[in-house]
Amino acid sequence: MTWKQNLPRTVLITGASAGIGEACARKFAAAGCKLILTGRRRERLEALAQELPTSCLVLCFDIRNEEDTLRELSDLPAGFAEVDVLVNNAGLALGLDRIPAGNPSHWQQMIDTNISGMIYATRAVLPGMVQRGRGHLIQLGSVAGTYPYPGGAVYAGTKAFVHQHALGMRSDLIGTPIRVTSIEPGAVETEFALVRFEGDKSRADAVYHGFRPLNGADIAESIFWAATAPAHVNINVLEIMPVAQAFGGFAFDRR
Ligand code: NAP
């Protein structure tokens, strides 16, 4: 019964049009939370909002745009203005080239989305949380933020930022009841690989071929658990991988 006593009333999910964000929307909606769903693909978000058994507000904007993000999330309509949980989930990886051959516009997009966009969303909702004495920031990091892999240097860097930023905010928010959690998944089968390989479906499918990856619902369960823990409990960092994923060790140049 504890989770019911700690159920948030209003949950804001960035990047709710697909994958982990969409799965979070389904999970929190099934428990009766009101939802604010954001992303760039309006049709997707509206179809999801129609389907969910709860009250939803759809907001379409590009999280890389500081002005739009602050405007949309700072001035929420009555009934949605008191955000209890921000699932700071919108994010992406682009490309898998090793750094000398990497694409600088890919790097910039990852930095602008995974770091800047996340900070803009936090900036918009955190002051209200502090004022109300109630709130939880849940950030989507990645195992890539801790364990590097070839071709992931910029993506991994953005996720290392997410991890350290979450811990830093815990330091800054001591003395308030605001909670901060970094959720750090391994391989989750979503649109992530399709986006990374810019629509190349066979390359994306190959990422998940031959083993059982996590799915969005697996991660949503963990996010829901962290969000509904008793108010005095803060889950700092949660690392979650498929059983079929592990570590490959160091590389050596033996020429
Ligand atoms: P996904 O299926 O591709 O979903 C990504 C979501 O982010 C979409 O809803 C997308 O919405 C939104 N988004 C991307 N760029 C945006 C922008 N500029 N403005 C607004 N929204 C934007 O990927 P996912 O796997 O669910 O990823 C969710 C989070 O989990 C990301 O932060 C990712 O880095 C992290 N993660 C994923 C994995 C994995 O293996 N899948 C592992 C570790 C961490 P629109 O396209 O509609 O804007």
Side-chain angles (χ1 to χ4, degrees):
M1 279 302 131
T2 323
W3 71 266
K4 282 195 177 161
Q5 288 158 12
N6 299 303
L7 191 66
R9 287 180 291 249
T10 305
V11 179
L12 192 171
I13 303 166
T14 68
S17 55
I20 295 169
E22 180 186 333
C24 286
R26 293 184 188 283
K27 180 71 191 172
F28 282 101
C33 305
K34 277 193 283 188
L35 299 179
I36 302 163
L37 307 173
T38 88
R40 291 164 299 180
R41 288 172 289 178
R42 180 176 293 281
E43 275 179 23
R44 286 270 199 115
L45 292 171
E46 284 178 350
L48 178 63
Q50 286 276 316
E51 201 191 309
L52 295 177
T54 190
S55 177
C56 295
L57 173 69
V58 166
L59 297 175
C60 282
F61 58 91
D62 188 324
I63 206 155
R64 291 172 292 170
N65 185 311
E66 180 177 11
E67 206 183 314
D68 289 354
T69 305
L70 293 179
R71 188 190 58 247
E72 293 286 345
L73 300 186
S74 304
D75 195 18
L76 293 163
F80 291 95
E82 301 195 347
V83 174
D84 294 320
V85 174
L86 166 60
V87 184
N88 234 332
N89 163 78
L92 80 171
L94 280 172
L96 197 58
D97 293 322
R98 290 181 187 233
I99 205 80
N103 178 337
S105 77
H106 285 170
W107 303 342
Q108 198 60 52
Q109 189 171 343
M110 289 188 273
I111 293 165
D112 291 346
T113 311
N114 303 356
I115 298 180
S116 300
M118 181 172 277
I119 290 177
Y120 302 152
T122 301
R123 231 171 90 194
V125 303
L126 182 57
M129 288 179 169
V130 173
Q131 209 171 34
R132 291 187 295 280
R134 182 181 164 93
H136 193 164
L137 304 170
I138 300 183
Q139 326 260 89
L140 263 293
S142 167
V143 292
T146 304
Y147 314 102
Y149 58 83
V154 174
Y155 177 69
T158 66
K159 294 302 182 179
F161 175 91
V162 173
H163 173 96
Q164 203 57 34
H165 181 54
L167 298 183
M169 287 197 290
R170 289 276 295 121
S171 296
D172 289 350
L173 290 165
I174 186 83
T176 78
I178 310 305
R179 303 193 284 184
V180 188
T181 300
S182 179
I183 300 283
E184 304 185 359
V188 189
E189 189 166 12
T190 60
E191 292 179 10
F192 182 80
L194 196 63
V195 171
R196 167 168 248 165
F197 299 123
E198 299 176 277
D200 183 338
K201 189 164 176 344
S202 61
R203 213 172 158 199
D205 287 346
V207 171
Y208 307 109
H209 178 72
F211 77 101
R212 183 169 179 184
L214 302 172
N215 60 34
D218 294 322
I219 304 304
E221 281 295 328
S222 306
I223 289 173
F224 186 81
W225 172 72
T228 55
H232 68 289
V233 175
N234 193 93
I235 308 300
N236 292 339
V237 177
L238 203 52
E239 204 179 86
I240 313 156
M241 282 175 30
V243 173
Q245 178 182 15
F247 313 100
F250 293 107
F252 298 90
D253 180 357
R254 299 186 191 278
R255 285 171 300 168

